Amino acid sequence: MHRFTTLLFATLFLLCSASVAFSQSLTKAQMREDLDTLIHTIARVSPHIAVKKDLWKYDAIREMKALRRQIDTISSDLSWYLLLEQALTLPQDMHTSMLHPLPAWLKEQRDAYLRIRSLFKMAIPNIYMNGKYIIREAFYYGQDTIPIGTEIMEIEGRPVDDYVQRHIRGRGYAYDVSRRKFFGAGFFKTTETIFRDSLSFGFRLPSGAVKKLTMPTREFTRYLPTGYKRRNPTRIELWEPENILYIRLTEMNADSIPFLQRELAKYRSRVQSLSRIIIDFRNNGGGDDTTWQSLYAAILPSPVSYPLKISANKGFGKEKETAPLLAKYGLYSLVNDTVTLEPSDSSLRFTGKIFVLFEDHYSSTGSAMIVPNARHDDNFISIGRRTGYFLGVGFAPLAFTLPHSKLPYRIAPSLETTGAARPADLMHDEAEIEVPYDVRDIITTSTYNGELGDKAYLLRYDPFIRIVMQH
């Protein structure tokens, strides 16, 4: 839907990249030119930069320019690769990244980087909950046990929020608009800390006691035993006697469309007896928009129309936006239309409530939110949690390459601006019903003995399904 392909564009750049080997005699001037080219291109192409500077108070261009000083310290291909990796991380947009396949020298450095990264064995299972980092699986180190519900207060002697802000180039983060800070459960594993043999942490236990540990990064974390299993594959099943059709989709893979259509067809004769349909997109990493479009089309009773507005920077859009918010960012209109999703010929044509569950999603799974969130008075109801990312329908990323390093990279050139009245609306990460966090749900899960994706668990313990059953 409203995607354009850049395969030819990308192929031309990649062929050029492959034809020129990286020279280890690359001069500092050439490195600076590459970095300046990258910064200029991102500033020119990405419409997210201006919005984030206003909404997040985060100046990605300034942060990228600060890396220029480090070029004087570059002494190897790997250190130059890491600087480029950090530069592409600083826009804090997962669609701004290196583009594969990489030229030989870059692949060699990436492989070296991944080998170093794989030596980092420590994992601290936590969830960002209500502004805090809370342990979600109990673990122990030496004589110390860190139970579920413990708060991670410090890392390397600094409050976690301060540490994250100071190491923003080290990894991709989400942004908590209400609390005005970056966050990410994996904050302790970055392009900088993977070289460390140990890291120190400060924990506040549920009892209120404070525990400080220096933990080795080259050793696996030892978790306390749990009885549950995390198997939760793509599937469609009928829950009886509740008469609920449950659809679990783990990725937006177009290859799964025939499976979805075939399985849904089995329930066509049962449609009248269904009380609800649940579409569970949680932890779906995205992929292809046609997947969710085909799934919705196989359920809809009648056409669903919704407004779609997509904007871009000057040079990519058709005409300058006149709405005050969009004009403020100098955006140009790309798409301003009403889109209609038609039911397929074999659609179940279900007229009851359809609940769509979202959490920890991005890319085309974020695009899938547009249908349940389009209207609050229809039978599509979105239930989820804010992601801290910019979601919504967009155009395929554009491909570019650096002049000297021959690094191929991509940038998302568009931003969904449908119905945006304030900057936060441009993130499109808000569900109709927000699921609150509760550490008691995590504790209950830890004691469950069975499959976390099974009907028995979902109906009895899952907070998302709990909300579904209340509506």
Side-chain angles (χ1 to χ4, degrees):
M1 174 197 301
H2 292 289
R3 300 252 175 188
F4 58 81
T5 178
T6 57
L7 288 178
L8 178 60
F9 189 43
T11 301
L12 290 173
F13 272 104
L14 290 174
L15 287 174
C16 292
S17 300
S19 65
V20 182
F22 175 73
S23 170
Q24 293 191 18
S25 62
L26 198 70
T27 67
K28 303 297 185 184
Q30 289 173 320
M31 291 181 184
R32 291 189 184 93
E33 185 176 342
D34 269 7
L35 183 60
D36 290 345
T37 298
L38 178 63
I39 294 170
H40 172 76
T41 307
I42 290 174
R44 178 176 62 87
V45 176
S46 174
H48 296 84
I49 298 296
V51 179
K52 289 174 181 175
K53 186 175 182 180
D54 179 36
L55 176 60
W56 294 1
K57 309 306 177 191
Y58 173 67
D59 190 339
I61 300 302
R62 182 187 65 195
E63 296 292 335
M64 292 176 71
K65 286 180 177 179
L67 289 177
R68 217 171 182 273
R69 297 190 295 269
Q70 294 189 29
I71 290 178
D72 288 333
T73 68
I74 297 297
S75 59
S76 68
D77 285 359
L78 180 59
S79 57
W80 175 230
Y81 169 87
L82 287 172
L83 188 142
L84 292 173
E85 179 81 45
Q86 292 176 347
L88 285 163
T89 298
L90 282 170
Q92 293 301 320
D93 175 3
M94 287 188 285
H95 278 139
T96 299
S97 61
M98 293 185 186
L99 186 62
H100 297 272
L102 297 174
W105 87 267
L106 272 166
K107 185 179 184 305
E108 183 179 344
Q109 302 316 309
R110 179 171 174 77
D111 289 345
Y113 161 68
L114 292 177
R115 284 194 297 271
I116 296 168
R117 196 174 189 274
S118 69
L119 298 175
F120 192 103
K121 309 296 186 186
M122 181 190 72
I124 301 180
N126 69 95
I127 185 171
Y128 179 78
M129 178 188 298
N130 304 323
K132 299 178 180 179
Y133 296 88
I134 303 298
I135 297 298
R136 58 176 175 79
E137 289 188 44
F139 67 92
Y140 59 93
Y141 179 66
Q143 301 300 312
D144 295 296
T145 297
I146 307 299
I148 293 172
T150 296
E151 179 187 354
I152 308 175
M153 300 169 56
E154 295 180 355
I155 175 172
E156 294 296 283
R158 292 188 178 278
V160 176
D161 294 335
D162 179 54
Y163 183 89
V164 167
Q165 190 63 44
R166 289 171 179 264
H167 295 80
I168 202 71
R169 68 186 184 183
R171 65 171 298 125
Y173 290 99
Y175 192 82
D176 184 337
V177 173
S178 63
R179 295 178 177 86
R180 299 183 180 180
K181 61 182 181 181
F182 287 99
F183 69 91
F187 63 87
F188 49 85
K189 187 173 183 178
T190 71
T191 53
E192 299 157 77
T193 59
I194 59 171
F195 295 95
R196 299 284 301 275
D197 291 326
S198 64
L199 291 171
S200 61
F201 296 89
F203 300 98
R204 179 182 288 120
L205 279 57
S207 65
V210 173
K211 181 73 65 174
K212 296 192 176 183
L213 297 177
T214 297
M215 300 173 61
T217 63
R218 306 310 190 215
E219 295 180 11
F220 288 105
T221 304
R222 294 177 292 174
Y223 302 112
L224 268 63
T226 57
Y228 64 77
K229 299 177 182 178
R230 290 192 180 276
R231 184 174 175 273
N232 197 8
T234 289
R235 65 193 186 279
I236 298 176
E237 56 193 25
L238 180 64
W239 292 352
E240 294 181 303
E242 296 82 10
N243 289 323
I244 294 174
L245 189 62
Y246 177 78
I247 304 167
R248 171 79 174 115
L249 190 59
T250 58
E251 62 178 331
M252 295 300 178
N253 185 345
D255 291 340
S256 65
I257 292 175
F259 164 79
L260 296 171
Q261 293 173 335
R262 183 176 65 250
E263 290 300 303
L264 285 171
K266 295 178 181 179
Y267 302 101
R268 191 170 296 116
S269 62
R270 304 285 299 272
V271 170
Q272 297 303 317
S273 63
L274 294 179
S275 63
R276 304 169 177 85
I277 290 180
I278 299 173
I279 302 175
D280 194 343
F281 286 145
R282 286 179 289 177
N283 300 293
N284 184 312
D288 192 324
D289 275 357
T290 60
T291 309
W292 64 260
Q293 292 165 4
S294 297
L295 176 57
Y296 288 160
I299 296 171
L300 292 173
S302 57
V304 170
S305 297
Y306 52 90
L308 179 62
K309 186 173 181 58
I310 302 177
S311 304
N313 282 351
K314 184 178 181 180
F316 298 93
K318 301 174 182 176
E319 56 185 25
K320 194 167 186 178
E321 297 282 13
T322 57
L325 176 65
L326 307 184
K328 174 182 179 180
Y329 302 123
L331 296 176
Y332 283 67
S333 177
L334 267 175
V335 174
N336 190 5
D337 202 358
T338 296
V339 178
T340 300
L341 186 61
E342 300 277 352
S344 65
D345 293 339
S346 58
S347 174
L348 297 182
R349 299 189 181 274
F350 181 66
T351 58
K353 291 183 178 180
I354 302 169
F355 296 89
V356 187
L357 314 184
F358 294 94
E359 185 180 32
D360 295 333
H361 59 283
Y362 194 70
S363 189
S364 57
T365 315
S367 302
M369 289 184 69
I370 194 170
V371 174
N373 281 345
R375 291 174 51 190
H376 292 273
D377 60 348
D378 60 8
N379 65 323
F380 265 96
I381 302 169
S382 64
I383 297 176
R385 287 171 173 157
R386 293 178 182 272
T387 64
Y389 298 121
F390 277 78
L391 305 179
V393 178
F395 283 69
L398 289 173
F400 302 90
T401 193
L402 293 181
H404 302 294
S405 304
K406 303 305 175 185
L407 167 72
Y409 60 102
R410 62 178 193 159
I411 306 171
S414 66
L415 174 69
E416 189 192 329
T417 54
T418 306
R422 55 196 178 96
D425 295 337
L426 294 168
M427 293 182 69
H428 291 290
D429 71 336
E430 183 178 0
E432 290 179 79
I433 301 176
E434 188 163 354
V435 182
Y437 288 100
D438 193 326
V439 72
R440 291 173 296 183
D441 291 327
I442 301 175
I443 294 172
T444 299
T445 297
S446 71
T447 60
Y448 184 74
N449 190 13
E451 300 280 1
L452 295 187
D454 284 357
K455 170 190 171 184
Y457 170 81
L458 293 171
L459 278 175
R460 189 172 181 184
Y461 298 117
D462 187 273
F464 286 72
I465 302 299
R466 185 185 307 145
I467 291 175
V468 169
M469 301 306 290
Q470 294 169 355
H471 290 77

